[in-house]
Amino acid sequence: MPTIKDVAKLAGVSTATVSRAMMNPEKVSEKTRLKVELAVAESGFSPNVIARNLRRSESKTIVVIVPDIANMFFASIVRGIQQVALNNGYKVLLGDSIHTVEQAKAYMDLVRSKQADGIISLTAELPMEIRQGTEIPMVMACEYFPGFPIPTVRIDNRGSAKRAVDYLLDIGHSRIGCITGPMENPICVDRKAGYQDGLQQVNIESDEAAFEDGDFSFQSGYSAFMRLHQQYAMTALFCFNDMMALGAMKAATQLGIKVPQDLSIVGFDDLLFAEYTNPELTTIRQPQEDIGKTAANTLMKILQGGKANQDTIVPTQLLVRASCTSPKK
Amino acid sequence: MPTIKDVAKLAGVSTATVSRAMMNPEKVSEKTRLKVELAVAESGFSPNVIARNLRRSESKTIVVIVPDIANMFFASIVRGIQQVALNNGYKVLLGDSIHTVEQAKAYMDLVRSKQADGIISLTAELPMEIRQGTEIPMVMACEYFPGFPIPTVRIDNRGSAKRAVDYLLDIGHSRIGCITGPMENPICVDRKAGYQDGLQQVNIESDEAAFEDGDFSFQSGYSAFMRLHQQYAMTALFCFNDMMALGAMKAATQLGIKVPQDLSIVGFDDLLFAEYTNPELTTIRQPQEDIGKTAANTLMKILQGGKANQDTIVPTQLLVRASCTSPKK
DNA sequence: GTGAAAGCGCTAACAA
DNA sequence: TTGTTAGCGCTTTCAC
């Protein structure tokens, strides 16, 4: 593999000129630029980016920490991130933290060791240290810690959950079960609060028996519904994500509970498959790619030394499909 | 951020010794090793990996090219890759080629420019040049080109498809529709051949009207079924992946065709959601994480200068669930 | 077992 | 506009 030296020799100029011709073509005369371009083509030269990175002390790489790469919700966000990163000349290093803070920490160390310039975290399962702030250029998307000195891009979880519950209330339900996520997670706390806001507004008192925890997986939605069904008589169900909604739907079907006739279900996220469930899933849409793009743009701004918005809230939307109907009398 | 020089000064040794103490502790006396470790801890030194990479001319990074990161099928494979890569001290750079060879080429250039050591491609949409072989350490997973000088990890597509069709035949079907993928894709050619093998074995002649092309998306499965339904009377349907199977299932349901009573459906892949469709989807299981792990192990072997198997075939499995039944008389 | 020194390939002052 | 020069931070001979 030829180096910049070879090209310089071939073109009969100095390495500095070759470098300039490639990085700042306008700082070089037309003639020499052509010579250099020719030499580059002839030698098949491709600059060693590692060397460049070392010299300029930047890596043009960002790390995306996801808690679970097999979770479709994150995939779409990553796609959005990837798009703007690429447009800005950045590569995306994928970090699956598998829900452990040790892994997350390992990925954060990549910026300490200059292998990455910044981080976008799609999980709040991060080392405690960063609670007091961090010099690492970083933005969080979807998840967050309250009172955390890191810019975030997320939705109004509380308002969105309330929106879902309001809808169920509107069409006549009053006994609404709820399959939550892990309640250590602030966004779950928010969504639960939103659920309660909805009930409170119409003076229905909240019943702890209406809740069961899941962990956002299909399986957990299934088993949470099996438990919930034992302890709480309901005509509607709100799930904190689509995957659990689908799990619950399967459980209901197995129990001979018809959706939506006997049980209305609302999900959260609007994953690709939500349109293809049977019945089609009514859900709160999160603009996943937009979230990714916004997060990436925010990080780009920080990386360019700019000041980023502390928090960006992106809008959600209730998507009414076929999994809900008014309760039987 | 302190450099190795600072550590050396602090420990009262040379930079060479610090380097040795970290890379080959056994090449250094107990005493100096301790001194160095202390100095490292005290200064909070973290080696600049870029500089190391430059010096050793390796990046300890592999690139995974996926045609579509939002496709769940690839996500699980990536997870498998990530696991073994990490265990071997490699990072994973994610490359979403969005089904374009230009993007794929851009990612392949990362190894030319020393930013990555090797590539795992989950797509065959690659630049033609590599048909004549390439010096780039590379392995393909899932997809392949026939007669291609690159090690692959994949399944027996033809046999697996035949397996699916055999099953439908066994339970009494003889009119079996087929939603294929893009037929430029060799794995689709194989699967179609497998379908035909199955029919041929029981002397049913293949009918071109039984086929409709999809592109592996939910949406394409939906519309392919809508077309197929017009042109071919069938009691069973074989889809080249689960996403299209789900799309077709939705289309059938909309048309008042009951699954499985009026139409049996078999998918391919066994995505996470296949267990949660209504009815649950009978499908050919591909061991996605295993494929990823095997591909990564193969690449590791190549990177270590070893010779890799040209082709590894991993086994599939027919998963019988609820989306199929014998045809009505 | 340890240190001195060379240099990986590139970029960016600074001179000319 | 171009060349000279000095590193970026590390590893690795080669001496000692």
Side-chain angles (χ1 to χ4, degrees), chain A residues 2 19 21 40 91 109 118 134 145 149 194 233 238-239 253 287 306 313 318:
Chain A
S19 177
V40 166
K91 283 138 275 162
D109 283 342
T134 171
F145 282 138
F238 171 46
C239 297
T253 303
I313 305 294
L318 174 71

Side-chain angles (χ1 to χ4, degrees), chain B residues 58-114:
Chain B
E58 64 179 9
S59 63
K60 287 288 182 184
T61 299
I62 66 175
V63 177
V64 179
I65 305 181
V66 297
D68 176 5
I69 208 251
N71 183 323
M72 315 166 59
F73 177 65
F74 298 115
S76 307
I77 296 180
V78 170
R79 154 165 267 181
I81 293 172
Q82 178 104 14
Q83 277 175 29
V84 345
L86 241 52
N87 281 341
N88 287 269
Y90 283 80
K91 286 138 272 161
V92 174
L93 201 55
L94 186 65
D96 186 349
S97 73
I98 327 174
H99 289 287
T100 67
V101 325
E102 296 78 41
Q103 274 303 321
K105 195 167 188 171
Y107 289 116
M108 293 180 62
D109 283 341
L110 291 176
V111 359
R112 286 219 175 66
S113 56
K114 303 284 189 215

